[in-house]
């Protein structure tokens, strides 16, 4: 018995309400992700599509949700693989349509092999078709074939949907605001990742390779019940911290360097995304500490700017201002604050945004801007707060700052009064970080 099935039913109902409001009804078809070959007959570990999972909670490949907002009411339909003793011996358990109907709360379930036969009937006379467009090429072809098949039947008196809508548009808006169930899972994902960062701080030693730290993170994720990393862990020692999407993770860590770790687990389909930067030998040098404290000042100011009613873009502006002033104070930027902001010279050291939506996907669904205006924050939105400073060797940079790269990233949920820091258990002040790096 899946006690959460009402949650997924409610989400489908919310989509159906939206379809009626926007198009006077219609058919939504939402496929899960295909399995992807890694090489020869080996597959990448399977990860369902997040939109599909959001409306089903169903974990298997080869499945499609079909939702009908029709004149006779709503229908919640799931197509999935049939039970198959032989395949289950090799590849593991399958729910099969009968069990899936009960457990996942659908009105009807059918074998996936029935999809092509049934879809033209479901789509006939519907005013609108809601489905992802341009997400999976094989699915796009299926949708085109479906529409052609319905059009071929026009002489029999049926009409094909006139309006085609990317179903991700209404689903993005729903996914942007997390419900209590989602927040519970995200707190757990954050807690596990926080433990992994503490473990990395505790264990790392000069002479370790970055991949050994990556292994410590993975160990903590998996032993705590996370299913996977939410994205490839970035374990970036010394100059590698200034490579924003560094992934090689194969440098030997040197005494006196900083290590930037950007790593988060996926727990029951929800991502966490934490960055901490700490000294390999457990003690910040003067210049490292100066840059670290500046990024921390910016990060704390950004968190203060996350509250209901604020613009999404507000906290990025806070990051720019605090960092630009700090770069001036450290002698890294010339001019006054207005000049540095106006010219953008601070972008030599801070060139990314201050954060992004977080949820099932690490860069989660949801618009940042609507018709040119920033999205307003409301309770239930979850976002990362991740300013940084990346100082590459250059003629205009004092040598003591060369190769210092610092990012500090937390995951915060907007609440009625401000925000809840889901990753607050991760050491962050200089004193906390040095204490966590027992050497
Ligand atoms: N780890 C990816 C990001 O911070 O956006
Ligand atoms: Mn992030
Ligand atoms: Mn990150």
């Amino acid at each position: 018995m899946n006690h959460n099935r009402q949650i997924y039913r409610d989400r489908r109902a919310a989509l159906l309400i939206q379809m009626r409001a926007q198009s006077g009804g219609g058919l939504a078809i939402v496929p899960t992700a295909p399995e992807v070959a890694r090489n020869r007959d080996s597959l990448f570990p399977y990860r369902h599509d997040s939109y599909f999972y959001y409306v089903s909670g169903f974990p298997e490949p080869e499945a499609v949700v079909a939702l009908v907002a029709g004149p006779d009411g709503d229908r919640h339909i799931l197509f999935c693989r049939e039970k198959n003793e032989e395949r289950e011996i090799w590849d593991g358990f399958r729910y099969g349509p009968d069990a899936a109907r009960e457990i996942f709360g659908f009105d009807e379930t059918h074998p996936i092999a029935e999809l092509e036969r049934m879809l033209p009937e479901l789509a006939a006379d519907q005013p609108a078709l809601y489905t992802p467009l341009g997400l999976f090429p094989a699915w796009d072809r299926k949708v085109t074939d479906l529409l052609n098949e319905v059009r071929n039947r026009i002489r029999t008196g049926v009409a094909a949907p006139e309006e085609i809508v990317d179903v991700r548009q209404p689903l993005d808006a729903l996914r942007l605001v997390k419900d209590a169930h989602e927040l519970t899972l995200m707190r757990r994902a954050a807690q596990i990742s926080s433990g992994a960062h503490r473990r990395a701080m505790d264990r790392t030693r000069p002479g370790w390779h970055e991949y050994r730290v990556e292994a410590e993170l993975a160990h903590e994720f998996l032993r705590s019940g996370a299913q996977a990393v939410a994205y490839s862990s970035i374990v970036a020692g010394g100059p590698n911290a200034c490579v924003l999407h560094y992934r090689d993770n194969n440098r030997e860590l040197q005494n006196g360097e900083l290590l930037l770790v950007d790593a988060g687990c996926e727990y029951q389909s929800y991502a966490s995304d934490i960055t901490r930067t700490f000294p390999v030998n457990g003690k910040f040098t003067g210049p490292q500490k100066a840059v670290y404290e500046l990024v921390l000042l910016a990060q704390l100011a950004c968190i203060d700017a996350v509250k209901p009613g604020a613009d999404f873009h507000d906290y990025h502006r806070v990051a720019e201002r605090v960092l630009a002033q700090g770069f001036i104070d450290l002698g890294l930027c010339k001019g006054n604050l207005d000049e540095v902001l106006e010219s953008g010279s601070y972008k030599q050291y801070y060139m990314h945004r201050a954060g992004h939506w977080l949820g099932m996907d690490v860069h989660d669904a949801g618009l940042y801007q609507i018709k040119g205006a920033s999205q307003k924050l409301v309770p239930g939105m979850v976002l990362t707060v991740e300013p940084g400073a990346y100082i590459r060797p250059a003629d205009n940079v004092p040598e003591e700052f060369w190769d210092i790269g610092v990012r500090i990233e937390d995951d915060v949920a907007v609440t009625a009064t401000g925000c809840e820091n889901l990753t607050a258990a991760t050491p962050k002040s200089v004193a906390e970080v040095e204490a966590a790096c027992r050497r």
Side-chain angles (χ1 to χ4, degrees), residues 396-417:
N396 65 340
V397 173
E399 205 167 327
E400 60 177 349
F401 292 115
W402 286 11
D403 290 328
I404 294 179
V406 173
R407 179 165 61 255
I408 304 174
E409 176 173 27
D410 282 312
D411 304 340
V412 305
V414 182
T415 62
T417 52

Side-chain angles (χ1 to χ4, degrees), residues 12 27-32 52 56 58-68 75-82 95-98 100-101 104 106-123 139 142 146:
R12 296 194 291 270
L27 169 70
I29 37 178
V30 185
T32 195
F52 170 86
S56 68
F58 191 70
E60 294 178 19
E62 298 187 87
V64 174
V65 165
L67 301 174
V68 183
R75 283 166 76 189
H76 297 218
I77 308 168
L78 175 72
F79 294 87
C80 66
R81 300 183 304 192
E82 291 193 87
Y95 284 97
D98 290 339
R101 183 175 53 248
F104 296 90
F106 283 86
D107 302 324
E108 294 168 43
T109 47
H110 302 280
I112 187 72
E114 293 288 303
L115 183 71
E116 268 153 51
R117 187 184 65 75
M118 288 189 63
L119 276 185
E121 290 161 27
L122 290 169
W139 181 255
K142 220 184 260 294
L146 163 66

Side-chain angles (χ1 to χ4, degrees), residues 231 262 273 356 362-363 386 409:
Y231 53 92
D262 183 347
D273 183 7
H356 49 85
V362 63
H363 293 170
E386 52 177 309
E409 176 173 27

Side-chain angles (χ1 to χ4, degrees), residues 134-196:
L135 182 60
F136 304 122
W139 181 255
D140 288 344
R141 283 193 295 280
K142 220 184 260 294
V143 169
T144 309
D145 291 348
L146 163 66
L147 290 170
N148 285 335
E149 180 58 34
V150 183
R151 289 181 192 123
N152 283 342
R153 297 180 187 189
I154 282 177
R155 279 186 298 277
T156 69
V158 300
E162 282 185 14
E163 192 189 356
I164 314 293
V165 182
D166 194 322
V167 72
R168 289 177 292 180
Q169 173 213 316
L171 287 177
D172 279 352
L174 292 172
R175 283 177 57 186
L176 184 51
V177 180
K178 276 69 183 170
D179 59 35
H181 174 69
E182 295 184 286
L183 288 171
T184 302
L185 296 177
M186 292 192 76
R187 282 190 195 99
R188 179 65 186 142
Q191 186 184 38
I192 294 171
S193 295
S194 185

